[in-house]
Amino acid sequence: MTNRSEILNELLELSPELARLNPQNPYKVPSGYFEGLTAAVMTRVKAEGASASEELELLSPLLNKLDKKAPFTVPDSYFGELTANTLNKLGKKEPAKIISASFTKRIFRYAAAAVVIGLIAAGTWLFVKQPSINTDTAQKENSTVENNILQKIQDISDSEMNNYIEGSSNNFFAFENTNPGADIKDDDVALMLANVPDEELQQYIEQHNSIKEAIN
Amino acid sequence: MAVTTEDINLLAQFREPSTKEAGYTAIVKKYQEKLYWHIRRMLIDHDDTNDALQNVLIRVWNGLANFREDAQLYTWLYRVATNECLTFLEQKKKKATVSMNEIESGLSNTIKADKHFDPNKLEWKLQLAIQQLPEKQRVVFSLRYYDEMPYEEMSRVLETSEGALKASYHHAVKKIEEFILNN
């Protein structure tokens, strides 16, 4: 009692409003709860460490007697086909490798680019090798011209080069399209690409494959 | 509880690129029925179960390499399957814009719609009784009653304390017994 008085006095000091509230519990307890509580706890105590079936026998002998097989049916051969179906689904998720139909066209364009660059370089070389009356001055002029031409070749952007080549190569493809019976022979391709290093060809193919896959 | 020797070998097969598919196939064949029935008891319908199970098996393919082997393999598989079931039910609720109670009565209707359903047979009454439980309690009951899963393993599957699981299971058994006796 003394303890309760002290607590109430303490509450009064802390919060007079709270102290005035009637401290009744608003929650309801299911009927018979406390009467059955001891038995329920004892069941749990006995079930500690018991197997699932021993535990169920303690909790509900009725349920323990039931056949545990679920009454649902499964389509015939479902389990036999499940693994294959799942692997198929996983297989479809892997992106397929796409082999471009215009592979030959791109090789042809690349070869044409190499030929154009080669012609420009050869022309420059021949030009700067022409004899001149004043050798020293000519050599200096030739060197300057050569450097200027080479610099201008380097300054040409890829898109400008492509546009030039497409303009030239469209004539080839126009011929190809109007003469569908004419196949590009492997020997011709090999001849055009003879001076192109394998590493550059491979790099070109990989670059264009990755762009094609990214677009798709 | 450590992974069994058989599962260790299967996992090793799976992790080796040259035998990955063979290892995966063996794991699927070993656990497919357990996982199927665990899901079927939650979702009732075979087609829904098949969808969920395939999602689980694809998650297994993608995630098994990261399995840490600090628990049983089947514990991990059951956790993936349980989460898939709960997600499936949640999505079904969102799509249907109805309450979970209505979803659960929908599952009861699915049971009753089964061509083999017989309301006089105890095994069917049991299925209807199970559907009256809240979904998580349904999982607890299913794992303990059908799969006889130890509480320690169930605690890892459901990430809930053993004490809470025991209480939940005991309540579930009482509710189910009451339903069967009153119906």
Side-chain angles (χ1 to χ4, degrees), chain B residues 89-160:
Chain B
L89 289 169
E90 190 61 34
Q91 283 173 350
K92 201 168 181 175
K93 181 178 78 170
K94 282 181 183 167
K95 278 183 194 167
T97 62
V98 296
S99 67
M100 186 49 82
N101 281 342
E102 286 168 299
I103 295 285
E104 283 159 1
S105 68
L107 292 172
S108 294
N109 290 337
T110 306
I111 293 171
K112 290 174 184 171
D114 190 297
K115 58 183 178 183
H116 301 290
F117 177 71
D118 183 347
N120 297 317
K121 289 205 170 158
L122 269 178
E123 56 265 31
W124 284 108
K125 281 191 191 176
L126 175 59
Q127 297 309 314
L128 289 174
I130 292 169
Q131 292 314 311
Q132 308 306 309
L133 302 173
E135 57 188 19
K136 287 196 177 160
Q137 195 170 53
R138 223 182 300 152
V139 175
V140 173
F141 179 81
S142 176
L143 289 175
R144 186 68 175 168
Y145 180 76
Y146 287 106
D147 296 316
E148 299 191 350
M149 184 178 283
Y151 285 114
E152 189 189 343
E153 288 299 321
M154 205 189 300
S155 172
R156 292 200 185 99
V157 172
L158 300 176
E159 293 177 317
T160 305

Side-chain angles (χ1 to χ4, degrees), chain A:
Chain A
M1 190 66 78
T2 309
N3 199 24
R4 185 176 166 79
S5 305
E6 285 173 0
I7 292 168
L8 281 173
N9 287 335
E10 180 192 53
L11 188 60
L12 202 59
E13 285 173 23
L14 290 169
S15 172
E17 289 78 20
L18 265 183
R20 278 190 226 110
L21 286 177
N22 190 355
Q24 276 193 6
N25 195 345
Y27 300 117
K28 302 287 181 217
V29 179
S31 64
Y33 171 75
F34 290 108
E35 288 78 2
L37 179 60
T38 310
V41 170
M42 284 313 300
T43 301
R44 280 191 61 179
V45 166
K46 288 175 190 170
E48 281 294 318
S51 67
S53 60
E54 286 167 354
E55 181 190 36
L56 189 61
E57 180 62 31
L58 284 167
L59 291 170
S60 173
L62 169 65
L63 279 187
N64 199 30
K65 285 192 184 66
L66 292 180
D67 184 359
K68 286 192 179 178
K69 188 177 180 301
F72 307 126
T73 55
V74 183
D76 293 338
S77 72
Y78 172 75
F79 291 114
E81 292 167 3
L82 178 62
T83 309
N85 290 341
T86 309
L87 286 171
N88 279 342
K89 269 197 174 178
L90 287 164
K92 280 180 186 171
K93 284 184 188 270
E94 289 171 2
K97 280 207 177 278
I98 297 165
I99 299 168
S100 170
S102 63
F103 173 76
T104 307
K105 281 189 185 177
R106 290 206 308 277
I107 289 292
F108 205 73
R109 285 180 180 164
Y110 188 80
V115 166
V116 166
I117 292 168
L119 285 172
I120 292 170
T124 306
W125 183 79
L126 287 171
F127 180 77
V128 299
K129 284 294 180 188
Q130 284 180 5
S132 173
I133 297 169
N134 187 336
T135 309
D136 287 339
T137 309
Q139 277 179 350
K140 281 183 191 170
E141 282 175 357
N142 288 342
S143 175
T144 306
V145 167
E146 182 182 354
N147 288 339
N148 285 343
I149 291 173
L150 288 173
Q151 182 61 43
K152 283 201 166 121
I153 290 173
Q154 283 175 356
D155 288 345
I156 296 172
S157 67
D158 289 345
S159 58
E160 286 173 327
M161 181 66 76
N162 281 337
N163 289 338
Y164 176 80
I165 292 161
E166 287 208 19
S168 310
S169 65
N170 277 341
N171 292 333
F172 290 105
F173 297 118
F175 173 77
E176 188 184 68
N177 288 336
T178 56
N179 193 3
D183 292 328
I184 295 170
K185 297 194 177 91
D186 289 346
D187 291 344
D188 292 340
V189 174
L191 190 63
M192 282 186 281
L193 297 176
N195 293 324
V196 179
D198 289 346
E199 294 82 17
E200 287 182 25
L201 272 176
Q202 185 61 34
Q203 191 181 0
Y204 182 84
I205 292 165
E206 283 169 7
Q207 279 173 0
H208 283 75
N209 271 345
S210 66
I211 291 168
K212 177 79 177 187
E213 284 173 10
I215 290 168
N216 289 332

Side-chain angles (χ1 to χ4, degrees), chain B residues 77-93:
Chain B
L77 293 171
Y78 267 77
R79 195 191 314 171
V80 175
T82 302
N83 288 339
E84 183 66 29
C85 287
L86 296 175
T87 303
F88 186 95
L89 289 169
E90 190 61 34
Q91 283 173 350
K92 201 168 181 175
K93 181 178 78 170

Side-chain angles (χ1 to χ4, degrees), chain B residues 10-26:
Chain B
L10 291 176
L11 288 164
Q13 248 192 317
F14 179 81
R15 289 192 173 113
E16 179 60 39
S18 60
T19 55
K20 182 172 183 174
E21 204 169 298
Y24 176 77
T25 301

